[in-house]
Amino acid sequence: MELANIEKLLDKYLDAETTLQEEQTLQEYFTSNNVAPHLQEYSMMFGYFKQSKDETFTKTIQLKPEKTKKNWKWLSVAASVVLLFSVFMGNEEYKKYQQRKQFAQIKEALQLVSVNLNKGNDALYAVSNNLKKGNDAIEQLGTYEETVNKVINTVN
């Protein structure tokens, strides 16, 4: 076989474009003793292919028995139920948290109102005390006026 033809076939083989007949031709050429020196590296590869083609595996293969298929539908149903339950419980806990938060805000607002009302009561007590003092002073003036009128009446 011509060397140029072999080189073309080898290029096609390396590009994975050969037919089975062309591969057989290459196999015969590279396993023969008449290989061109610059193509000697490929003779080892084709020699290995020929040798490995004749090899057979003699050990017995232990196959695992086929396991019965588990019914995964029940697992998915159980997971869905657990998910729904956890969402429901989480929602309830969130509502309780929101109620506690609102209660704390209302409590804070009522304490603020209470402080301001106490300030107002203190101011009213102060006004009331001053009013009482004023009324007492007026009553005292009234008693002075009566005594002055009596004195004037007696002098006349």
Side-chain angles (χ1 to χ4, degrees), residues 14-151:
L14 294 175
D15 290 335
E17 297 174 350
T18 54
T19 63
L20 291 177
Q21 287 177 334
E22 292 170 334
E23 288 178 15
Q24 183 63 34
T25 304
L26 285 173
Q27 180 77 28
E28 290 171 4
Y29 175 76
F30 283 108
T31 55
S32 71
N33 293 332
N34 192 14
V35 179
H38 68 282
L39 299 176
Q40 282 292 329
E41 59 186 287
Y42 296 108
S43 64
M44 290 178 63
M45 180 176 68
F46 282 98
Y48 172 76
F49 291 155
K50 184 176 183 180
Q51 179 186 0
S52 65
K53 187 177 185 181
D54 297 333
E55 289 181 2
T56 58
F57 188 74
T58 58
K59 290 186 179 181
T60 59
I61 299 174
Q62 181 68 29
L63 296 176
K64 293 181 182 178
E66 186 177 318
K67 293 182 180 179
T68 58
K69 292 184 179 179
K70 295 187 180 194
N71 196 351
W72 294 105
K73 290 179 185 177
W74 289 109
L75 182 62
S76 63
V77 169
S80 299
V81 168
V82 168
L83 180 66
L84 287 174
F85 181 74
S86 64
V87 166
F88 175 75
M89 292 305 292
N91 190 26
E92 291 298 317
E93 288 298 318
Y94 180 72
K95 286 179 183 177
K96 287 179 185 177
Y97 168 74
Q98 288 294 333
Q99 288 173 349
R100 285 192 299 267
K101 189 175 173 183
Q102 287 175 348
F103 179 74
Q105 289 174 344
I106 291 171
K107 183 178 175 182
E108 184 180 335
L110 288 176
Q111 284 177 344
L112 185 63
V113 168
S114 173
V115 166
N116 289 331
L117 280 177
N118 286 338
K119 286 180 185 177
N121 280 343
D122 291 342
L124 283 177
Y125 287 138
V127 169
S128 174
N129 284 340
N130 288 338
L131 189 61
K132 186 176 179 185
K133 287 179 186 177
N135 282 340
D136 288 345
I138 290 174
E139 281 181 23
Q140 220 172 17
L141 283 175
T143 57
Y144 287 133
E145 188 179 327
E146 286 177 15
T147 53
V148 169
N149 283 338
K150 283 182 188 177
V151 171

Side-chain angles (χ1 to χ4, degrees), residues 5-16:
N5 189 23
I6 293 295
E7 288 176 351
K8 286 179 186 177
L9 283 178
L10 185 60
D11 287 337
K12 280 179 70 176
Y13 179 78
L14 294 175
D15 290 335

